[in-house]
Amino acid sequence: MTVSESDRVKADQIKGEANKLFSEKRFPEAIEKYTAAIELNPTVAVYYTNRAFCHLKLESYGYAITDAEEALKIDPTLTKANYRRASANMALGKFKEALKDLRVVSKRAPGDKDAKAKLDECSKIVKRIEFEKAIEHDDRTPSIAETLDPSSITVESSYDGPRIDLEQDGELQITQDFVTQMIERFKNQKKIHKKYAFMIIFAVYKMMMEAPSLIDVSVPEKGILTVCGDVHGQFYDFINIFETNGYPSDTHAYLFNGDFVDRGSFSVEVILTLFAYKWLYPDRLYLARGNHETDNMNKVYGFEGEVKAKFSDMMFKLFSEAFNALPLAHVIGHKILVVHGGLFSKDDVTLDDIRKINRLGQRQPGTEGLMCELLWSDPQPEPGRGASKRGVGIQFGPDVTKNFLERNNLDMLIRSHEVKENGYVIEHDGKCVTVFSAPNYCDTVGNKGAYINITPDIKLDYVTFEHVPHPQVRPMQYASQFSGLLGM
């Protein structure tokens, strides 16, 4: 197409303004500027790749892929566009697609050691996934949970931490004293013995295997239920919730709505604390699966590397089996649906459909279907449905929310999955609430965290909080080579 010289000059000027906004980490405003430059001159591929980088920063991976592909239509030799698309596909756990682009990048820049390292790592991941798939349904390969006997693990006499012992009836049972001591150890960056870590995971795995995909929750009589969103391995902010709002107890229930791990580098401490409280108070601590309680995300965003560094590969595999067994949704007081992501690509979904999801057979959520959409979808202000900015799940409007709630005799939807400046946002005529509980997300975003306290008469109180200091360990400390690829 023909673009006037004045429009070219103006577009390039706006791109400069966008670049400045990007350097200041004002990504939404930078996107607006890049978009304005594209509208004036849609023939410049770098405008699209720059906007794609902004989308990567905002975790809008679907939009980043679209921009990278537009750039490649304009200039098929623009290596940066292949790199951006590889970044987005890697973020989504689409390793085969990412591998194609990384091969192109490495071929065009054979001397780029960083690109070569990322290509090699991606190739290893793809080969490993193919091997794991090949043995997944092999009856000769039993699960870790079926073969593990934590009681047979020896505790060295030099271990000075808390212990889980047999009760008088011969059953293993965790105690409040153990959990309290464990938390103090974690605050001091010490571990518990692997025997007790395995015991905690195994106990929760057995509970979850018997749980339905949708769990009905009631608020404790004369107490409260606190709903928390993503905590993403930010252990010190996570513990701050308990210290300021109250620890789980018979009168204080908690529901953590997915994304306990990844990104933050204290994910092991977060998940072991949550699992320990689940074992201690099975009817007062509820856990829902998020999109980061999945193998592909854990490979990229740090949890797999962290578990292997602090414990072992076997422990990560047991965590993976426990995550596969996590419930997908909760209904509070028969009136509030709580899911990690959101609603569905079709209109006729009922609570019974959610209850019937065979999460144990499916294991990983895949890229379509009810389980995927529960974990990945996001609300949008426009009516109807839209393509997901993330590249997985859908975006759903206020009419979709209203129709779903009316069909299922519900009052509102609580979900998480998205960082919010003030920790929470109320949308869709008050019917859809997003709550996010990781303040100053990844040590860079500067957002507040939030949680929701719910009383027995189903009244909601929104509480926001700031981040607290933590040891000098950077986010994604244990992530793969791809942390650099993702712009972290």
Side-chain angles (χ1 to χ4, degrees), residues 344-345 357 362 365-375 377 393:
F344 311 99
S345 56
I357 294 173
Q362 190 172 338
T367 57
E368 59 183 14
L370 298 186
M371 185 170 167
C372 167
E373 290 166 357
L374 280 168
L375 302 189
S377 292

Side-chain angles (χ1 to χ4, degrees), residues 4-5 7 35 59 75 78 111 224 233 243 251 271 303 307 312 366 404 439 454 459 467:
S4 69
E5 183 60 24
D7 281 349
T35 301
E59 301 183 20
D75 183 359
L78 185 60
I224 59 171
E243 292 180 343
T251 57
I271 193 61
F303 183 60
V307 178
S312 66
F404 175 85
I454 304 177
K459 289 197 168 74
H467 68 282

Side-chain angles (χ1 to χ4, degrees), residues 98-253:
L99 184 59
K100 294 174 187 176
D101 278 314
L102 289 173
R103 283 174 176 154
V104 171
V105 172
S106 189
K107 185 176 180 180
R108 290 180 185 159
D112 188 330
K113 293 182 180 179
D114 186 55
K116 179 67 165 59
K118 289 179 170 63
L119 172 65
D120 290 345
E121 183 162 357
C122 189
S123 181
K124 288 177 185 175
I125 290 175
V126 169
K127 288 177 181 175
R128 192 171 117 209
I129 290 172
E130 289 174 347
F131 173 74
E132 288 170 353
K133 280 185 178 177
I135 66 171
E136 183 177 352
H137 299 293
D138 189 336
D139 293 337
R140 295 168 298 178
T141 309
S143 73
I144 298 299
E146 290 172 350
T147 57
L148 178 70
D149 179 14
S151 64
S152 66
I153 300 172
T154 301
V155 179
E156 301 79 8
S157 58
S158 58
Y159 174 67
D160 62 352
R163 297 170 182 256
I164 299 173
D165 297 313
L166 290 173
E167 297 286 290
Q168 287 185 348
D169 59 3
E171 291 290 323
L172 285 167
Q173 184 56 50
I174 199 167
T175 64
Q176 180 64 65
D177 185 56
F178 175 91
V179 179
T180 300
Q181 290 185 54
M182 180 183 73
I183 290 171
E184 286 305 309
R185 266 184 99 76
F186 289 165
K187 286 181 182 177
N188 294 319
Q189 292 184 268
K190 295 181 179 180
K191 297 187 294 184
I192 58 170
H193 196 277
K194 64 183 178 180
K195 175 173 185 169
Y196 306 123
F198 273 122
M199 283 180 174
I200 291 167
I201 305 165
F202 189 63
V204 172
Y205 167 81
K206 290 194 292 184
M207 285 184 196
M208 297 306 188
M209 288 294 287
E210 297 173 0
S213 290
L214 184 150
I215 293 180
D216 291 294
V217 177
S218 58
V219 181
E221 188 178 347
K222 298 180 181 178
I224 59 171
L225 166 68
T226 300
V227 178
C228 298
D230 308 36
V231 292
H232 272 301
Q234 297 183 194
F235 176 74
Y236 296 86
D237 295 311
F238 157 73
I239 284 298
N240 184 49
I241 295 173
F242 289 157
E243 292 180 343
T244 57
N245 190 56
Y247 280 84
S249 68
D250 288 331
T251 57
H252 194 159

Side-chain angles (χ1 to χ4, degrees), residues 13 84 103 212 220 230 259 308 325 372 379 429 431 465 476:
Q13 177 188 334
R84 295 283 184 263
R103 283 174 176 154
D230 308 36
D259 283 13
K308 290 179 178 179
C372 167
D429 303 314
K431 299 294 186 183
F465 60 100
M476 292 178 66

Side-chain angles (χ1 to χ4, degrees), residues 279-337:
W279 188 5
L280 185 62
Y281 293 111
D283 297 323
R284 291 293 181 262
L285 196 289
Y286 298 94
L287 302 170
R289 190 176 195 176
N291 64 301
H292 276 268
E293 280 70 56
T294 55
D295 288 352
N296 281 358
M297 294 295 100
N298 296 159
K299 281 176 173 46
V300 176
Y301 290 98
F303 183 60
E304 179 176 343
E306 183 182 343
V307 178
K308 290 179 178 179
K310 293 178 178 178
F311 288 99
S312 66
D313 180 55
M314 179 182 287
M315 186 173 289
F316 173 73
K317 289 176 179 175
L318 183 60
F319 269 124
S320 175
E321 291 179 21
F323 289 168
N324 289 342
L326 287 171
L328 305 175
H330 295 79
V331 173
I332 301 171
H334 306 291
K335 287 300 177 184
I336 302 174
L337 176 67

Side-chain angles (χ1 to χ4, degrees), residues 1-9 11 39-44:
M1 64 176 294
T2 303
V3 179
S4 69
E5 183 60 24
S6 62
D7 281 349
R8 289 179 189 276
V9 172
E39 288 171 352
L40 284 167
N41 185 4
T43 67
V44 181

Side-chain angles (χ1 to χ4, degrees), residues 336-354:
I336 302 174
L337 176 67
V338 185
V339 301
H340 180 72
L343 299 180
F344 311 99
S345 56
K346 55 183 183 178
D347 285 326
D348 57 351
V349 178
T350 66
L351 295 182
D352 279 342
D353 292 326
I354 299 173

Side-chain angles (χ1 to χ4, degrees), residues 18 21 58 62 93 118 151 170 243 270 324 361 418 434 450:
L21 289 167
L58 295 175
K118 289 179 170 63
S151 64
E243 292 180 343
V270 167
N324 289 342
E418 290 181 284
T434 299

